[in-house]
Amino acid sequence: MNVFQRLSQYREFLRTSIRKEIRGKYKKSFLGILWSFLNPLLMLMVYAIIFPIILKSPEKNYTMFLMTALIPWTFFTTGITQGAAVVIANANILKKVYFPREILPISIVTSGLVNFLISCIIIFIFLIFTGIGFSKYLIFFPLYVLIEYILILGFVFILSSVTVYLRDLEHIIGVVIQALFYATPIVYSMSMIPKAFDWVFKINPMAYVIQGFRDTLYYQTMPDLQGLAIIAVFSLVLLYVGYRIFYRLQKNFAEEL
């Protein structure tokens, strides 16, 4: 409970940090927050042109199929890459001012959540104009958003604290994320995966999240409730473990930085 008490005491600082992260991302940018729409749209244009030709996907509306996975994936990769370096990036303020160090990972992931929700407007617009529309299973959408947020925050607690002591981790993360992209059903469907490689996706937490978003928004079917329970429990455990690691390692941040 101490962490919630500290965050409550420094809630204004937390709000300021979140606003700073959101505004700082588009600082001196002519289009500003519009990049939250343009970035995913530009990526979609590239993938929607290239991958149907390469993979010959049987999906009828491949752009929508891709969008429901790529935008959540972008939230994950942006949160991990920026979050891993957040402590190092704020080295100066850490040495000068006291505040609960966990505010840094929380602010970076929460600002990413805001950008993700803005980007989701694109998904909803496309759902309307492509005629797919909405179904009753949309009620699962907020749940998957929350699960992904918790999952990213758990990873960022671990990575941001360990990176202070092991700087090479920043470079390793980029390679791992690139490999994870192809090990996650983003540009292809689960039905295209050979059974011999099923285990790869069963140990990949983002496979459960991406498939959940796709079931809810694109296929409009009941998500795999067993998979939902697995990823929910995993995310909560990861958040707890991640915070404990961060809490132990943050005591020597100032000396290492």
Side-chain angles (χ1 to χ4, degrees), residues 67-224:
M67 186 182 298
T68 52
L70 190 60
I71 290 179
W73 173 257
T74 302
F75 174 35
F76 174 76
T77 56
T78 302
I80 295 296
T81 53
Q82 293 181 355
V86 68
V87 175
I88 297 173
N90 289 274
N92 289 334
I93 191 173
L94 278 169
K95 294 177 182 179
K96 296 176 182 177
V97 181
Y98 172 77
F99 60 91
R101 303 325 193 195
E102 52 267 30
I103 283 179
L104 295 176
I106 293 172
S107 62
I108 201 78
V109 179
T110 304
S111 67
L113 173 64
V114 173
N115 286 316
F116 168 64
L117 293 175
I118 293 172
S119 299
C120 284
I121 296 173
I122 300 172
I123 297 179
F124 298 143
I125 291 173
F126 270 72
L127 284 172
I128 294 170
F129 283 96
T130 56
I132 296 176
F134 303 99
S135 73
K136 60 183 179 182
Y137 301 109
L138 189 64
I139 61 173
F140 288 96
F141 176 78
L143 183 56
Y144 277 104
V145 172
L146 178 61
I147 288 173
E148 184 171 10
Y149 175 82
I150 293 172
L151 179 69
I152 296 171
L153 187 57
F155 277 123
V156 169
F157 271 134
I158 297 171
L159 296 174
S160 62
S161 55
V162 174
T163 302
V164 173
Y165 301 88
L166 184 63
R167 302 297 176 90
D168 289 341
L169 190 59
E170 282 188 79
H171 305 287
I172 296 171
I173 288 169
V175 176
V176 172
I177 285 179
Q178 188 63 37
L180 195 62
F181 174 83
Y182 294 102
T184 306
I186 299 170
V187 298
Y188 54 85
S189 65
M190 292 290 288
S191 61
M192 298 176 67
I193 302 167
K195 289 188 177 181
F197 295 97
D198 275 354
W199 64 273
V200 175
F201 300 91
K202 289 179 180 178
I203 63 172
N204 177 4
M206 278 305 293
Y208 293 92
V209 174
I210 294 298
Q211 190 60 36
F213 277 114
R214 189 165 274 159
D215 286 341
T216 302
L217 299 171
Y218 176 76
Y219 292 121
Q220 298 188 344
T221 60
M222 174 68 76
D224 176 14

Side-chain angles (χ1 to χ4, degrees), residues 34-97:
L34 285 175
W35 282 111
S36 293
F37 295 97
L38 293 176
N39 277 328
L41 281 175
L42 292 172
M43 284 190 296
L44 280 167
M45 286 176 60
V46 174
Y47 288 123
I49 292 171
I50 295 175
F51 281 100
I53 298 172
I54 297 174
L55 295 176
K56 294 181 173 56
S57 175
E59 301 296 335
K60 293 181 180 180
N61 193 335
Y62 187 77
T63 301
M64 197 68 238
F65 171 83
L66 184 60
M67 186 182 298
T68 52
L70 190 60
I71 290 179
W73 173 257
T74 302
F75 174 35
F76 174 76
T77 56
T78 302
I80 295 296
T81 53
Q82 293 181 355
V86 68
V87 175
I88 297 173
N90 289 274
N92 289 334
I93 191 173
L94 278 169
K95 294 177 182 179
K96 296 176 182 177
V97 181

